[in-house]
Amino acid sequence: MAVSASEDIVVKKHGIRISLLLVSAAIAFAGFVLANMFTVSVERPYSDLQKRAAERMQQAELAVAAEMQEMGIPLEAEDLNGTWLMGPEFTELTTTPGNVDAKRSSLNPNFAAAMVRYYIEGGLESGDTIAIGTSGSFPGLLIAALSASTEMGLEARVIASCGASMHGATRPDYNIFDILSCLERNGICSFDLLAVSPGGSNDDGGSVLEGILYSGTKELSMQLCLDTGKPVLDYDDMADNIHARFVLYGDDIDMFVNVGGASPNCGTSSYTLNFPQGLVMDPPTIPTTPYRGLNYEYAARGIPVINLLNVKQLAQENGIAYDPVPMELPGEGGAYYETEYNSFIIIASIVLALIPLVAAFVDRKKNGNCPY
């Protein structure tokens, strides 16, 4: 069938405009590639503060290790960097599975530098108050949070649970309470331990191997809590447990920090997995149940939250080596740098990509609204 002259013009115009759009897309893509190729790493303006926090964390870990060695506590075979901060896989305090690579990685002193970044990006300044809820699962991340807050002059209020996932602070004879005590006695970190709890899935203590390898683990967890001399949180209902913690922290909290996966902090349902990692300024949809946990409780009030649980993701986000052997030293890695893009490439790409779009628009206005 013959094509009329007018139809032929429409087809040609259609082809020209599609070509212009493709050219624009190609320029934009090329600009994206070039912008990422020519990035530069620039030291953060507060990198000196980050380094001091990392050095403080290193000092804290050495103090804890020295104390355990004096007590004759053996080094675990999986503790390849000789930190003494990795506990046995299974004990009376082991509550959940844990990734040994993540446990080793979390002891990197440069996580304190990452915490400085989170605090500053969260708007904190010297004199502000943070609430820290922690289990015994990641003593390294707790030390990082406290080293950074001390270095920045923040007031830290802590509620700690003695349950721990595998290879965390699982030693009954040197648990998370003992680690906190060591930091305080040696004047390394400044904080106020408000209360303690047994930990575990319902925060009532016990080991995952209760009745298999051990017995009386709930009673042991409770006794360790009582030995601290601090108020012990012991509630049958999780909603009451969460509310009690919220009241203890006070109404002047500027940021909440969760370390590990304690039920009162993370909540007790599938929505707990929806809460992002790292600094959370824009939270996901907030559930309305009374068991949603302190992460959501503070987020619902517009208070920034730092969620420290997925170590691999946190390491990648902050340029920290994952499972390094030997361990990185304070000041090493990408936590002290931010990426800057070449503004000339970005602007030039935008301008060049707009030219074909403008040409297509002008052609359409000039020749009428023929279909695409």
Side-chain angles (χ1 to χ4, degrees):
M1 186 167 88
V3 178
S4 67
S6 60
E7 289 174 329
D8 185 57
I9 292 173
V10 168
V11 171
K12 288 180 180 179
K13 290 295 182 183
H14 175 80
I16 291 172
R17 293 171 190 171
I18 291 295
S19 297
L20 289 171
L21 293 176
L22 291 174
V23 169
S24 178
I27 293 172
F29 178 74
F32 173 80
V33 172
L34 288 172
N36 280 277
M37 286 177 59
F38 291 95
T39 59
V40 292
S41 293
V42 179
E43 202 167 36
R44 298 185 189 278
Y46 46 84
S47 61
D48 287 343
L49 175 61
Q50 289 181 295
K51 290 173 185 174
R52 292 197 302 271
E55 289 166 355
R56 185 181 293 274
M57 180 172 173
Q58 184 184 53
Q59 179 189 2
E61 292 185 335
L62 289 173
V64 171
E67 194 162 276
M68 279 196 264
Q69 290 175 68
E70 289 175 6
M71 294 173 61
I73 295 174
L75 180 72
E76 291 299 304
E78 294 83 1
D79 193 351
L80 302 181
N81 291 306
T83 67
W84 261 267
L85 279 157
M86 290 182 64
E89 185 175 24
F90 293 112
T91 74
E92 296 91 334
L93 298 184
T94 304
T95 56
T96 51
N99 187 304
V100 68
D101 297 348
K103 298 305 169 88
R104 273 196 298 265
S105 301
S106 68
L107 299 169
N108 191 321
N110 295 299
F111 268 111
M115 291 303 299
V116 169
R117 172 196 166 195
Y118 286 149
Y119 290 154
I120 290 176
E121 291 183 356
L124 296 188
E125 299 177 346
S126 178
D128 286 342
T129 302
I130 63 172
I132 299 179
T134 184
S135 68
S137 295
F138 292 101
L141 296 182
L142 174 58
I143 294 173
L146 291 173
S147 297
S149 65
T150 301
E151 202 63 45
M152 287 183 62
L154 306 176
E155 179 185 344
R157 300 172 186 170
V158 180
I159 297 177
S161 304
C162 67
S165 56
M166 295 185 306
H167 299 295
T170 55
R171 297 181 177 97
D173 53 343
Y174 205 95
N175 53 71
I176 197 68
F177 304 149
D178 297 307
I179 292 172
L180 287 169
S181 178
C182 178
L183 301 184
E184 187 174 43
R185 280 186 285 102
N186 287 279
I188 300 172
C189 294
S190 174
F191 59 91
D192 184 9
L193 182 59
L194 300 178
V196 296
S197 72
S201 59
N202 294 308
D203 202 27
D204 57 1
S207 171
V208 69
L209 294 180
E210 169 68 27
I212 302 174
L213 290 181
Y214 310 106
S215 61
T217 58
K218 289 190 176 184
E219 292 78 7
L220 173 62
S221 299
M222 181 59 69
Q223 187 58 53
L224 293 174
C225 289
L226 293 171
D227 290 345
T228 67
K230 298 293 182 179
V232 179
L233 300 176
D234 182 21
Y235 293 91
D236 293 330
D237 186 79
M238 185 57 65
D240 292 337
N241 192 327
I242 293 168
H243 179 71
R245 291 164 182 260
F246 190 81
V247 172
L248 274 173
Y249 283 129
D251 57 6
D252 58 343
I253 298 301
D254 298 298
M255 178 179 283
F256 178 69
V257 181
N258 169 60
V259 183
S263 300
N265 301 327
C266 297
T268 58
S269 186
S270 59
Y271 54 73
T272 64
L273 301 176
N274 297 334
F275 204 86
Q277 298 295 306
L279 175 63
V280 181
M281 304 284 284
D282 184 20
T285 301
I286 298 175
T288 57
T289 72
Y291 310 105
R292 61 189 180 182
L294 289 171
N295 279 345
Y296 282 110
E297 288 290 342
Y298 282 103
R301 291 163 173 78
I303 294 173
V305 174
I306 298 177
N307 188 29
L308 304 176
L309 184 57
N310 187 327
V311 177
K312 191 167 190 176
Q313 181 178 332
L314 294 169
Q316 290 174 342
E317 182 179 302
N318 289 283
I320 295 173
Y322 188 74
D323 200 16
V325 180
M327 182 65 75
E328 285 185 325
L329 296 174
E332 294 182 346
Y336 306 87
Y337 300 89
E338 55 191 1
T339 300
E340 286 191 358
Y341 293 89
N342 189 308
S343 57
F344 174 79
I345 292 176
I346 294 173
I347 294 172
S349 299
I350 293 172
V351 171
L352 291 173
L354 284 174
I355 291 174
L357 293 177
V358 172
F361 176 78
V362 170
D363 181 72
R364 179 169 181 170
K365 296 290 290 183
K366 180 179 179 180
N367 296 287
N369 295 328
C370 63
Y372 280 81

